[in-house]
């Protein structure tokens, strides 16, 4: 992927639907056919094998489809109608539909688990409280958010541009009032923008009550 491609993707971050209309999902920098390795490890090490999972900002739908193969009951949402239309053609096992996480139509306490792979890091600091409010509302009591985002340890991508490169402290600041911070690990995205960008993987449990 060239710098020109990168610029075009950034330009399109604000026009998700056009971006999904005009491009093949397999060519998108975040496309990962297999289940994200950090989530896979988490599922295996905690013997998770049932529950209601939301794949937030599902995009190509691959993560949702992999979760459904592991017998979870999976819903997957995205702000882009084109992304959802394309994903629906790949699986009937997942309940795909259009939803904006910042103004979500999902019901209170609808999920045991939520996977956010690359959505939280799109939002500015001012939008984070609204994101946290919605996640807290739609997670069941003691529900868990698995959050994967770009890390500020990644120095090969411009740090004043989207996606935001986050520190562990920024995750703690956003979530600590409403969530128990179980872990925030240093990790990588398998491949994006032609590199393996440094990432953070956080396990956040909704505080009860
Ligand atoms: C970096 S992509 C990640 C896609 C997918 N999670 C994956 O890992 O393959 C970010 C996704 O978030 C979606 N998105 C952006 N803003 C959103 C919002 N407010 N609500 C729901 N989805 C959103 C985009 O359409 C895009 O598919």
């Amino acid at each position: 992927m060239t710098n020109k491609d990168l610029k075009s993707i950034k330009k399109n971050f604000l026009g998700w639907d056009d971006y999904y209309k005009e491009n093949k999902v397999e060519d998108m920098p975040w496309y990962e056919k297999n289940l994200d390795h950090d989530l896979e490890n988490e599922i295996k090490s905690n013997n998770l094998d049932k529950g209601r999972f939301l794949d937030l900002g599902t995009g190509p739908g691959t993560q949702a489809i992999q979760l459904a193969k592991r017998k979870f009951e999976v819903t997957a949402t995205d702000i882009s109608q084109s992304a959802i239309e394309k994903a629906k053609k790949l699986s009937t096992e997942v309940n795909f539909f259009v939803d904006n996480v910042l103004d979500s139509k999902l019901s209170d306490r609808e999920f045991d688990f939520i996977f956010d792979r690359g959505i939280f890091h799109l939002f500015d600091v001012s939008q984070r409280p609204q994101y946290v409010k919605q996640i807290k509302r739609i997670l069941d009591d003691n529900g868990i958010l698995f959050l994967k985002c770009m890390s500020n340890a990644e120095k090969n991508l411009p740090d004043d541009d989207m996606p935001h490169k986050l520190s562990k402290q920024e995750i703690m600041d956003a979530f600590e009032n409403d969530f128990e911070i179980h872990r925030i690990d240093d990790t990588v995205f398998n491949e994006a923008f032609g590199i393996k960008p440094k990432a953070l993987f956080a396990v956040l449990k909704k505080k009860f009550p």
Side-chain angles (χ1 to χ4, degrees):
M1 173 159 300
T2 65
N3 280 349
K4 194 164 149 256
D5 294 333
L6 188 56
K7 275 203 180 109
S8 138
I9 285 162
K10 285 185 180 147
K11 206 176 88 207
N12 276 294
F13 269 146
L14 297 177
W16 289 105
D17 202 45
D18 287 344
Y19 185 62
Y20 278 98
K21 252 183 219 152
E22 289 163 15
N23 294 279
K24 281 169 60 180
V25 292
E26 292 82 357
D27 295 337
M28 297 183 181
W30 45 87
Y31 182 81
E32 170 60 68
K33 192 163 174 248
N34 300 314
L35 187 61
D36 182 276
H37 57 96
D38 289 298
L39 184 60
E40 177 89 86
N41 289 342
E42 199 61 30
I43 286 173
K44 281 193 182 146
S45 56
N46 291 293
N47 297 317
L48 302 178
D49 57 4
K50 59 175 180 298
R52 300 159 299 166
F53 233 113
L54 171 64
D55 183 29
L56 189 71
T58 191
T62 50
Q63 303 304 300
I65 292 167
Q66 289 294 341
L67 286 166
K69 281 189 186 156
R70 287 157 180 79
K71 306 295 175 211
F72 293 100
E73 198 183 311
V74 186
T75 295
T77 58
D78 200 284
I79 201 166
S80 161
Q81 180 152 357
S82 305
I84 291 297
E85 281 166 9
K86 287 185 182 185
K88 270 186 177 168
K89 292 186 184 144
L90 302 178
S91 172
T92 52
E93 304 296 311
V94 175
N95 179 20
F96 285 108
F97 63 91
V98 176
D99 192 56
N100 174 1
V101 62
L102 298 180
D103 183 26
S104 178
K105 304 289 179 289
L106 292 162
S107 304
D108 295 358
R109 298 191 172 83
E110 203 176 326
F111 298 101
D112 304 302
F113 309 107
I114 297 179
F115 187 31
D116 172 334
R117 182 173 181 271
I119 293 69
F120 180 68
H121 69 192
L122 303 173
F123 299 129
D124 292 331
V125 178
S126 63
Q127 295 172 300
R128 290 178 193 165
Q130 179 61 13
Y131 171 97
V132 174
K133 187 176 164 195
Q134 290 291 334
I135 297 296
K136 188 182 168 196
R137 184 181 67 73
I138 60 184
L139 263 182
D140 206 346
D141 297 333
N142 293 320
I144 294 180
L145 169 65
F146 302 105
L147 173 69
K148 186 146 179 179
C149 60
M150 286 281 186
S151 164
N152 67 349
E154 178 51 64
K155 303 296 181 200
N156 291 310
L157 299 172
D159 59 17
D160 58 344
D161 211 341
M162 288 247 275
H164 296 293
K165 323 300 176 293
L166 298 177
S167 65
K168 293 181 183 179
Q169 189 60 51
E170 280 178 282
I171 295 179
M172 287 193 269
D173 290 347
F175 289 95
E176 66 191 351
N177 285 344
D178 301 295
F179 287 78
E180 289 167 23
I181 317 275
H182 275 207
R183 287 204 334 270
I184 307 178
D185 295 338
D186 292 301
T187 182
V188 292
F189 282 105
N190 211 13
E191 158 112 42
F193 308 116
I195 56 173
K196 279 185 187 285
K198 293 191 170 63
L200 296 172
F201 181 75
V203 180
L204 309 165
K205 187 171 179 185
K206 177 175 158 178
K207 282 184 185 168
F208 178 72

